[in-house]
Amino acid sequence: MDEKLLTQARDILGKAERVAVFSGAGLSAESGIATFRGQEPDALWSRFDPMQLASVEGFASDPATVIDWYNWRRGKLAQAQPNAAHRAMAGHPGLMHLTQNVDDLLERAGVPESNVLHLHGSIGKDRCHAACGIEEDISLEKPEPLRQCKGCGAYMRPAVVWFGETLPQDIWSQAEVVCMEIDCLLVIGTSATVYPAFSLVELAAGQGSQIIVVNTEAIDSNQGALIEISGKAGDILPKLLD
Ligand code: BV8
Ligand code: ZN
């Protein structure tokens, strides 16, 4: 790990007044949760393209397979534990989290729920696909197979944002406010490919916030990322934040 960069990043964090964290699947990778564009050995994962399954079209063409895939992911999450990166950030309750992740590992590490904005929803709930208003918590250990909404008969589906779906407006507006008022944004474990979520990083950079990226690979964002620290979130975050 580049000690010089780490010292520089720690300096910036030490001086920053308002720090937020933008995170992606790489934050949960060391908890055993597959990244979106990683190569999971598991048959279901490699047999299907997550981009196809996490989409409105994927659900329309084969709803049962999409539910099975989410239930497979729910089983993985049920066995997962927060990793050192989640725990290091939980030690700083003032941090606001804008996460693309649908898992609850930040909350399970102790981050207050009110400090976590799930830009792409939560895998721990189902909602009516016809958006009639019915939403139910589900058991990660024993999730239900494909089923109908009790209210209107449409299918129930995970309360996540699929490709082609808009992000929850209230969460989005809160995230924009955060990005306008911070002076430092940690960008952890994201490939910077999904929009409009990643445009929040561009918004923060545009208003003068310093951007510190922690990732195992270089992200080709056109951000003037002031600092890009290459390495695993679980190794770097404790050193950055302790
Ligand atoms: C929408 C579902 C429009 C939940 C997900 C421009 C503007 C607006 C939209 C678009 C646009 N251009 C394209 C679009 C369409 C699309 C999009 O962005 N496509 C991309 C792929 C090109 N966007 C949408 O469809 C969005 N909706 O725009 O609606 C609209 C407008 C009006 C009316 C109707 C519609 C919706 C996007 C949300 C999609 N849902 N997930 C779920 O099942 O999880 S996105 C999915 O990708 C996950 O949420 C994931 O979090 C997200 C982003 O991926 P990352 O988190 O970055 O994860 P990834 O695997 O890619 O990368 C991991 C990184 O970590 C890697 O860099 C790796 O090197 C690193 N890493 C690995 N291990 C570690 C590590 N780093 C540190 N430590 C480690 N240990
Ligand atoms: Zn319904």
Side-chain angles (χ1 to χ4, degrees):
M1 169 181 348
D2 185 324
E3 290 301 329
K4 204 164 124 305
L5 275 183
L6 195 64
T7 313
Q8 229 183 320
R10 284 170 59 90
D11 267 1
I12 289 172
L13 282 166
K15 291 190 188 93
E17 304 280 314
R18 286 278 318 226
V19 182
V21 186
F22 180 88
S23 56
L27 170 62
S28 299
E30 289 155 271
S31 299
I33 302 293
T35 59
F36 231 73
R37 291 159 188 82
Q39 292 311 320
E40 270 292 284
D42 190 281
L44 184 62
W45 184 279
S46 45
R47 198 152 39 92
F48 292 98
D49 167 10
M51 305 290 280
Q52 218 279 321
L53 289 170
S55 73
V56 179
E57 298 74 25
F59 188 63
S61 65
D62 187 349
T65 298
V66 170
I67 298 301
D68 289 350
W69 179 60
Y70 273 91
N71 287 345
W72 172 76
R73 290 175 63 191
R74 284 162 165 169
K76 290 277 185 185
L77 179 56
Q79 273 129 37
Q81 292 302 325
N83 62 52
H86 296 110
R87 292 196 300 272
M89 295 194 286
H92 293 263
L95 287 174
M96 268 309 282
H97 291 267
L98 318 176
T99 187
Q100 300 170 100
N101 296 340
V102 294
D103 65 55
D104 60 349
L105 293 172
L106 281 167
E107 294 89 335
R108 280 164 51 186
V111 176
E113 282 193 17
S114 53
N115 284 25
V116 185
L117 297 177
H118 283 282
L119 302 166
H120 294 159
S122 161
I123 201 169
K125 295 191 183 81
D126 270 350
R127 72 160 171 85
C128 169
H129 190 46
C132 77
I134 301 262
E135 179 168 288
E136 294 168 3
D137 286 332
I138 55 99
S139 141
L140 291 176
E141 287 77 11
K142 282 199 298 312
E144 311 254 345
L146 181 64
R147 63 197 170 109
Q148 288 181 293
C149 167
K150 296 191 187 72
C152 73
Y155 282 135
M156 292 294 279
R157 38 69 62 88
V160 299
V161 178
W162 278 332
F163 287 104
E165 292 185 320
T166 49
L167 280 63
Q169 193 44 51
D170 55 328
I171 299 281
W172 181 257
S173 327
Q174 289 176 66
E176 282 184 318
V177 166
V178 170
C179 287
M180 285 313 288
E181 63 186 20
I182 50 173
D183 51 3
C184 179
L185 183 66
L186 286 172
V187 177
I188 313 293
T190 182
S191 61
T193 40
V194 174
Y195 281 80
F198 195 75
S199 62
L200 290 167
V201 177
E202 294 158 351
L203 178 67
Q207 59 80 354
S209 172
Q210 293 178 320
I211 310 291
I212 298 172
V213 175
V214 175
N215 203 310
T216 44
E217 69 186 9
I219 61 173
D220 56 355
S221 80
N222 49 13
Q223 275 330 301
L226 203 79
I227 298 208
E228 192 151 5
I229 303 176
S230 163
K232 289 188 171 186
D235 297 339
I236 309 272
L237 268 295
K239 293 187 175 69
L240 258 188
L241 296 174
D242 72 11

